Amino acid sequence: VHAFFASIEQRDDASLRGKPVAVGTGVVASCSYEAKRRGVRTAMSLSHARRVCPELRVVPGDYRRYEQAGKNILHICHEKVVRVEVAALDDLYLAPPDSPALDDAARLAEQLRSNVRERTGLLVSAGVGRGRFIASVATHAAKDRRVEQLRSLDRLPAELPLSPLVVAPQDGEAAFLAPFSSGLLPGAGSA
């Protein structure tokens, strides 16, 4: 989910919509796309985030609401997909039923994103690929592309658009992965 905690805060409090929002008490646990456009990042200290974005609205957050939203999204996914792995409240890996074709998986991803938006009011990023790692990188790419799209706008629209769905080409995974940092590899650090 895009900026999960911040998105829930904006969904539930109309005064936060369209504003740069950070959730956290000492560091940014989540930040809205409006905040990301201004340079705020997850794990940034709130004092630094306020210097980067003086109009930043900071809320402490409510984990119970986030957990409920995560359960709602999981339920929506389980309606269409039997195998769903939960990596975090806002991080799910789905194994589509029946067809190994990525086109079928992409159609399912679009349908689920639409269902989640309609039923929870939240926007979902999705990436499709053969295997969990490839799909994870594709999702990362979708989120990055969305941030870049929003940065290019002079003014954000009242209702933010979905991120693009990124599908890693079957049998073209090496070329797809080549531009990404090795830091995306599970367990890889800066060294």
Side-chain angles (χ1 to χ4, degrees):
V1 175
H2 302 298
F4 191 57
F5 299 170
S7 295
I8 292 169
E9 294 298 337
Q10 289 178 314
R11 177 195 69 184
D12 296 348
D13 182 349
S15 73
L16 298 176
R17 292 182 197 145
K19 306 271 191 303
V21 175
V23 176
T25 52
V27 297
V28 176
S30 175
C31 58
S32 68
Y33 279 94
E34 294 86 355
K36 288 178 184 191
R37 273 184 89 206
R38 292 173 175 85
V40 177
R41 299 282 174 261
T42 301
M44 180 182 276
S45 73
L46 284 174
S47 60
H48 184 207
R50 285 185 174 113
R51 283 193 302 277
V52 168
C53 178
E55 63 277 13
L56 186 67
R57 306 275 301 270
V58 178
V59 294
D62 180 354
Y63 190 79
R64 291 170 305 173
R65 283 188 301 126
Y66 310 150
E67 187 175 41
Q68 186 58 52
K71 287 179 181 178
N72 290 343
I73 292 168
L74 179 61
H75 176 74
I76 291 166
C77 291
H78 270 301
E79 289 173 357
K80 299 283 184 192
V81 178
V82 175
R83 290 181 44 211
V84 179
E85 179 183 340
V86 178
L89 285 178
D90 64 337
D91 195 2
L92 305 174
Y93 294 94
L94 287 66
D98 304 328
S99 174
L102 293 182
D103 289 344
D104 293 339
R107 279 190 288 281
L108 176 63
E110 289 292 15
Q111 182 181 22
L112 287 170
R113 287 171 11 126
S114 177
N115 290 351
V116 167
R117 185 175 195 168
E118 186 177 297
R119 292 166 54 185
T120 70
L122 298 170
L123 302 177
V124 177
S125 290
V128 176
R130 290 189 312 171
R132 179 181 169 170
F133 174 68
I134 302 294
S136 175
V137 174
T139 302
H140 177 82
K143 290 178 181 182
D144 284 351
R145 289 179 189 176
R146 184 163 194 256
V147 170
E148 290 308 312
Q149 285 174 342
L150 296 177
R151 277 195 181 129
S152 71
L153 300 174
D154 292 333
R155 197 164 157 246
L156 289 179
E159 186 170 319
L160 296 178
L162 284 173
S163 64
L165 175 69
V166 175
V167 179
Q170 193 163 341
D171 299 323
E173 289 90 353
F176 173 76
L177 291 174
F180 292 97
S181 161
S182 60
L184 289 177
L185 290 168
S190 58

